[in-house]
Amino acid sequence: MFKIKKGDIIQVTKGKDKGKKGKVLEVLAQNKRAIVEGINQVKKHKRKTKQEQQAGIVSVEVPISTSNIMLVCKQCGKASRVGFKAAEGKEKTRFCKSCKETF
């Protein structure tokens, strides 16, 4: 089970976007990376391939390492570490290590 899931709000802890928050669009589990909305953007030169498509320089989000991001708790609003609890007969659930609130 991964600590970060699609749809989570995260905060960047290292790199050029340090301190920024964003929503996870996709998790690439094999590479231990995640694509986050508005984070780690690069410029990409696009060629016109269809009649209606615009050519030029486009900003694209590239994957960021999961070791450089932390999950933001909805209850306390801070970036916090994630723990796991396993109740009897139920799946593992994630919880905030600061305020003990489940995600």
Side-chain angles (χ1 to χ4, degrees):
M1 190 171 186
F2 236 28
K3 293 182 181 181
I4 307 292
K5 290 183 178 180
K6 182 179 177 179
D8 286 341
I9 303 298
I10 58 96
Q11 183 172 349
V12 181
T13 58
K14 296 176 189 169
K16 66 180 180 180
D17 294 322
K18 183 177 180 178
K20 290 184 182 178
K21 293 181 182 181
K23 184 178 179 180
V24 177
L25 300 175
E26 187 179 351
V27 176
L28 308 170
Q30 286 184 327
N31 302 339
K32 296 182 182 169
R33 293 180 161 270
I35 297 174
V36 183
E37 187 175 41
I39 305 291
N40 203 23
Q41 291 188 330
V42 294
K43 302 283 186 187
K44 184 171 182 171
H45 295 261
K46 293 283 254 181
R47 176 178 32 171
K48 185 174 183 177
T49 57
K50 296 179 184 173
Q51 285 287 341
E52 61 274 354
Q53 187 178 6
Q54 187 70 28
I57 302 171
V58 181
S59 264
V60 179
E61 289 109 358
V62 292
I64 187 169
S65 176
T66 54
S67 64
N68 297 338
I69 57 179
M70 289 181 84
L71 194 60
V72 175
C73 179
K74 294 173 188 167
Q75 183 73 24
C76 58
K78 294 187 274 184
S80 62
R81 290 169 43 212
V82 178
F84 291 96
K85 283 190 232 181
E88 290 180 29
K90 293 185 181 178
E91 286 188 21
K92 285 200 289 188
T93 57
R94 301 178 299 166
F95 72 95
C96 172
K97 292 254 185 159
S98 300
C99 65
K100 308 295 187 234
E101 182 70 25
T102 59
F103 292 112

